[in-house]
């Protein structure tokens, strides 16, 4: 999911200079500012993920670097962080000198410069003056794959107007939104372990192969 956020941001920012033939983002938010209001995620699911991040990413790999850059008080606050957002505040924001969490999420997100986030808190979204931002510069077939019941990354990070999004720019953006599937999951059948991540993997493979087939057919004409 974090890889999907980075991928989406790269595809949007690079525009016509993108070095990829196609891309598919799985369970990654396009506008992570929206996740700041996802209270259920912060209270129920993120504490478990936060503990894993602190153990695997901070303590076992980069604790020395954080101790060099952060004050003792800042490092203590990082170790006490109980959600991913808190880790972002005390690790990423402080370590990299962002102004605040909103500044970091604005820079990391493909739709971080869209004014839809501000508009949603002031008036009805979808008005003619809503700007889509840098994601309109996507120049390759780009599919956004997300489940509406994702417990970690709210569906609101997909933007407030999917129809506007897929029709923006040169029309390279596609969205595959499912009613259920969780976060990087999409379990199948009564025994999900039997199929593993088949649904998700098949979706990605199907998209990439379809893009490749279409490209070859176009070249053969």
């Amino acid at each position: 999911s974090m890889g999907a956020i980075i991928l989406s941001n790269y595809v949007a920012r690079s525009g016509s200079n993108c070095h990829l033939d196609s891309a598919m983002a799985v369970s990654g938010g396009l506008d992570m500012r929206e996740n700041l209001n996802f209270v259920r995620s912060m209270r129920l699911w993120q504490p478990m993920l936060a503990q894993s991040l602190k153990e695997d990413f901070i303590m076992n790999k980069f604790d020395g670097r954080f101790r060099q850059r952060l004050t003792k008080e800042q490092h203590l606050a990082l170790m006490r962080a109980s959600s991913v957002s808190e880790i972002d505040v005390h690790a990423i924001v402080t370590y990299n000198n962002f102004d605040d969490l909103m500044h970091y999420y604005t820079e990391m997100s493909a739709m971080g410069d869209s004014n839809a986030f501000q508009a949603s808190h002031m008036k009805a979204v979808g008005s003619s003056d809503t700007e889509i931002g840098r994601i309109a510069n996507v120049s390759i077939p780009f599919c956004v794959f997300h489940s509406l019941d994702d417990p970690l990354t709210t569906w609101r990070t997909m933007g407030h107007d999917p129809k506007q999004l897929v029709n923006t720019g040169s029309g390279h953006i596609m969205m595959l939104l499912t009613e259920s599937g969780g976060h990087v999951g999409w379990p199948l059948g009564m025994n999900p372990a039997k199929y593993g991540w088949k649904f998700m993997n098949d979706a990605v493979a199907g998209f990439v192969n379809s893009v490749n087939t279409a490209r070859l057919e176009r070249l053969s004409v």
Side-chain angles (χ1 to χ4, degrees):
S1 55
M2 187 63 207
I5 296 172
I6 295 172
L7 173 66
S8 301
N9 200 15
Y10 166 71
V11 172
R13 285 180 178 272
S14 59
S16 60
N17 295 317
C18 183
H19 292 287
L20 302 175
D21 293 322
S22 61
M24 188 168 187
V26 180
S27 296
L30 296 176
D31 191 344
M32 292 304 294
R33 295 175 296 179
E34 292 288 352
N35 231 41
L36 290 172
N37 299 317
F38 199 10
V39 178
R40 183 166 68 94
S41 173
M42 293 181 183
R43 297 183 60 183
L44 183 60
W45 298 105
Q46 289 193 31
M48 291 181 281
L49 184 58
Q51 185 61 34
S52 178
L53 284 173
K54 285 189 292 185
E55 292 176 358
D56 298 336
F57 177 71
I58 298 174
M59 297 172 63
N60 293 336
K61 291 184 178 180
F62 303 111
D63 188 57
R65 295 186 182 183
F66 281 109
R67 289 183 181 274
Q68 288 180 353
R69 186 75 64 87
L70 305 181
T71 65
K72 291 183 178 180
E73 291 75 16
Q74 290 171 334
H75 188 271
L76 179 60
L78 174 59
M79 290 296 98
R80 290 177 173 174
S82 60
S83 70
V84 176
S85 297
E86 287 185 5
I87 289 180
D88 286 342
V89 169
H90 299 299
I92 310 302
V93 172
T94 304
Y95 189 89
N96 293 285
N97 295 319
F98 285 103
D99 295 337
D100 49 32
L101 191 59
M102 185 66 74
H103 180 207
Y104 169 48
Y105 283 180
T106 296
E107 292 300 315
M108 78 182 294
S109 302
M111 294 183 67
D113 62 339
S114 166
N115 70 355
F117 178 79
Q118 289 86 354
S120 68
H121 294 78
M122 295 184 293
K123 59 183 177 180
V125 178
S127 58
S128 58
D129 60 345
T130 299
E131 297 293 336
I132 202 72
R134 55 178 166 258
I135 199 169
N137 297 323
V138 171
S139 63
I140 62 170
F142 176 49
C143 183
V144 180
F145 185 21
H146 202 88
S147 173
L148 298 179
D149 71 346
D150 191 315
L152 289 177
T153 307
T154 174
W155 57 268
R156 292 182 177 85
T157 62
M158 294 296 98
H160 291 268
D161 192 341
K163 184 176 181 180
Q164 179 192 18
L165 185 58
V166 298
N167 288 319
T168 193
S170 301
H172 287 96
I173 302 173
M174 288 152 273
M175 301 193 78
L176 176 55
L177 305 178
T178 61
E179 183 177 355
S180 60
H183 185 75
V184 198
W186 290 275
L188 296 174
M190 297 299 293
N191 182 18
K194 178 180 179 181
Y195 300 98
W197 288 271
K198 184 179 187 307
F199 184 88
M200 177 175 64
N201 292 339
D202 286 352
V204 175
F207 172 71
V208 173
N209 289 332
S210 296
V211 171
N212 187 55
T213 299
R215 181 176 287 111
L216 292 176
E217 290 178 350
R218 184 179 62 185
L219 292 175
S220 65
V221 174

